[in-house]
Amino acid sequence: MTTRSTLSIWLQFLGMGVIWGSSFLFMKVALSGVTFGQIAWSRLILGGLTLGIIVLVTRPRVASPSGVLGPVLPREPVVWLHFLVIAVSGCVVPHLLFAWAEQYVSSSLASIYNAVTPITTAIMATLVFRVEKLLRDQVVGVVIGIVGVVVIIGPWGYAALTGDLWGQLACLGSATWYGFTFGYTRRYLSPRPIAPATFAFLNIGLAGAIMLVLTPVLAWHPVRLDVPIVLALLALGALGTGLAYIWNVNVLRAWGPTNASTVTYVTPVVGVLLGVLVLAETFSWHEPLGAVLVLFGILLTQQRLRLTRRPAATPVSPSTTFATEPVASAGPRRRS
């Protein structure tokens, strides 16, 4: 790889981390003029349009073992059905949950909960879809991550179900849906010969189509648009749910899934810094402590740290093609 190519990959990696980490700030800004449903609606439609244009222009295809190029879009109905499932579980539901949650929790805290995704992915991939088998250290990492989530929530501080608590549970629900989506994709879609850009377009594009159907329910409300709100929605959609996924594919090809997945560590740092510096958000003592426990759990789960000397198994890491902020797998098994 040339020096220019290396620099390009680094810039794309940093761009992913900044854009995905900033998405929680963008949601908070957008909520000052539009509803949570309009935020999710806008980002998925704009992201789908952006990726659709990229696929239309580039016409990506994957060659079969015989060297024959396949179609741009898959033809088997079952593949479209699988994409419909992950469009709902990896885009529509978590995007709505995160946008709704930010009415009650800080953007910084939402970005921390987003970083829980590798833990929920490990649980889903192991217990639900059985596509991974965790080693002892990885199991310890999952347990530590769960303890970290409990510390972040701080259940001792709630005498009743407040909006803040519901907001945190909604963020945790989003991370759980992401974990489900990554496990589902690994089981049913990863082995299929689908170009990464096409994979991203089908995922986000179908989610955008669902949002169009839900327009009377989610988007048909009065809005107050000014320049910051419009820019925030454009950044969430065209950049965060569109272009950043193409960058992620390029980084994945150049560095491999394990190194590409380190963007999971960048996004909460960016989210927290922006929340504190731009929105003057503050923390209770237990929230950063829980975040440290979650990060430690992720490092063990992805085998970047080990407590025992054992042969390494394939790390469980999120992938790039769906969802929002966590890095996810880009389709066929080039993988994430």
Side-chain angles (χ1 to χ4, degrees):
M1 183 181 292
T2 65
T3 302
R4 179 175 296 181
S5 298
T6 301
L7 178 61
S8 174
I9 293 300
W10 267 106
L11 290 175
Q12 291 176 74
F13 174 80
L14 293 175
M16 286 158 42
V18 170
I19 289 174
W20 284 341
S22 303
S23 64
F24 302 96
L25 171 66
F26 296 147
M27 281 189 277
K28 186 67 79 173
V29 171
L31 279 170
S32 64
V34 300
T35 66
F36 76 91
Q38 289 167 334
I39 290 176
W41 184 91
S42 299
R43 71 183 301 184
L44 286 171
I45 289 177
L46 290 172
L49 288 173
T50 302
L51 291 168
I53 292 171
I54 292 172
V55 170
L56 184 64
V57 171
T58 60
R59 309 285 296 175
R61 299 185 180 189
V62 175
S64 66
S66 61
V68 178
L69 291 177
V72 175
L73 298 177
R75 294 173 179 169
E76 305 95 323
V78 68
V79 175
W80 288 82
L81 180 60
H82 288 317
F83 272 108
L84 183 62
V85 171
I86 66 171
V88 173
S89 67
C91 296
V92 175
V93 174
H95 283 26
L96 284 169
L97 285 174
F98 262 128
W100 180 86
E102 286 214 30
Q103 298 174 112
Y104 304 100
V105 303
S106 68
S107 65
S108 302
L109 192 56
S111 69
I112 291 173
Y113 274 110
N114 186 69
V116 176
T117 298
I119 301 296
T120 62
T121 300
I123 294 172
M124 290 290 178
T126 305
L127 300 181
V128 177
F129 295 102
R130 299 185 181 277
V131 293
E132 301 282 357
K133 185 176 181 181
L134 299 183
L135 299 175
R136 184 183 306 168
D137 284 4
Q138 293 174 297
V139 173
V140 172
V142 169
V143 172
I144 292 175
I146 293 173
V147 171
V149 169
V150 173
V151 172
I152 293 171
I153 294 175
W156 56 84
Y158 296 96
L161 291 175
T162 64
D164 174 71
L165 178 58
W166 278 116
Q168 293 191 66
L169 293 176
C171 291
L172 185 58
S174 296
T176 303
W177 277 107
Y178 286 149
F180 171 89
T181 303
F182 299 147
Y184 187 97
T185 301
R186 170 73 180 276
R187 174 137 190 191
Y188 296 109
L189 283 171
S190 291
R192 298 181 182 275
I194 303 171
T198 301
F199 196 104
F201 166 64
L202 289 175
N203 190 176
I204 304 299
L206 282 175
I210 293 170
M211 287 303 199
L212 283 176
V213 174
L214 295 177
T215 297
V217 178
L218 295 177
W220 209 256
H221 304 286
V223 299
R224 181 185 65 79
L225 296 179
D226 55 26
V227 173
I229 294 172
V230 171
L231 291 178
L233 292 174
L234 287 173
L236 280 169
L239 294 180
T241 317
L243 186 60
Y245 286 102
I246 303 302
W247 293 348
N248 192 31
V249 171
N250 293 334
V251 174
L252 195 63
R253 286 172 168 171
W255 290 358
T258 301
N259 289 328
S261 72
T262 56
V263 76
T264 306
Y265 313 141
V266 176
T267 51
V269 174
V270 173
V272 168
L273 285 176
L274 289 177
V276 171
L277 297 177
V278 179
L279 301 176
E281 295 174 345
T282 59
F283 288 104
S284 300
W285 65 268
H286 58 90
E287 292 167 351
L289 174 61
V292 170
L293 290 174
V294 167
L295 178 59
F296 185 54
I298 292 171
L299 292 172
L300 288 173
T301 303
Q302 295 187 337
Q303 297 188 78
R304 297 179 185 280
L305 290 179
R306 296 182 191 172
L307 301 176
T308 57
R309 293 179 176 272
R310 297 189 60 173
T314 302
V316 178
S317 60
S319 47
T320 131
T321 307
F322 0 84
T324 67
E325 290 62 49
V327 71
S329 150
R333 201 144 157 83
R334 187 174 300 164
R335 201 96 189 143
S336 219

